[in-house]
Amino acid sequence: MVSLYETLFLDVLFDPRTRSLFIYVAIVIAIGAVLYHWLEGWSWLDSFYFVVITLTTIGYGDFSPTTPLTKLITMFYGVNGVIVLLMLFDVVRRLRRWEIGN
């Protein structure tokens, strides 16, 4: 039976083997939010929102970059989002397999 701890992915978040991925994701989100806040003039909340929506490939379309530089940054974040999601799925799969094997 799956515990609430596993359902909320807290086991993945606090495991030392997966911590580096979450640190990387936090840094990517923070850098993106700073760039969009500075280059597009969006609020901090809107900047964080746009970065997360882009990284998860949801892309509602309610915000759009307006300068060539931020369009290039958005293309990088879109590709990076797919890579980060695949890395996250792989980490969860490996961690859960380690727990079953022990």
Side-chain angles (χ1 to χ4, degrees):
M1 175 154 243
V2 178
S3 69
L4 181 62
Y5 188 72
E6 291 174 339
T7 303
L8 297 175
F9 291 97
L10 295 177
D11 58 334
V12 178
L13 182 61
F14 292 114
D15 193 285
R17 296 170 289 196
T18 61
R19 192 169 295 134
S20 60
L21 176 62
F22 285 99
I23 292 171
Y24 171 72
V25 171
I27 290 170
V28 167
I29 290 172
I31 289 172
V34 168
L35 287 173
Y36 287 110
H37 176 73
W38 180 51
L39 294 172
E40 289 287 341
W42 296 341
S43 71
W44 286 107
L45 180 61
D46 289 342
S47 298
F48 275 105
Y49 168 79
F50 182 77
V51 169
V52 171
I53 294 303
T54 301
L55 284 176
T56 57
T57 69
I58 294 172
Y60 290 124
D62 47 353
F63 288 97
S64 299
T66 57
T67 67
L69 179 59
T70 54
K71 289 177 182 180
L72 287 171
I73 292 168
T74 304
M75 287 188 290
F76 167 77
Y77 272 96
V79 172
N80 199 28
V82 172
I83 294 167
V84 167
L85 283 176
L86 291 173
M87 288 171 46
L88 179 63
F89 293 150
D90 185 55
V91 163
V92 170
R93 180 191 56 83
R94 282 188 284 145
L95 181 63
R96 299 288 165 85
R97 186 171 46 179
W98 287 327
E99 290 175 354
I100 292 171
N102 292 335

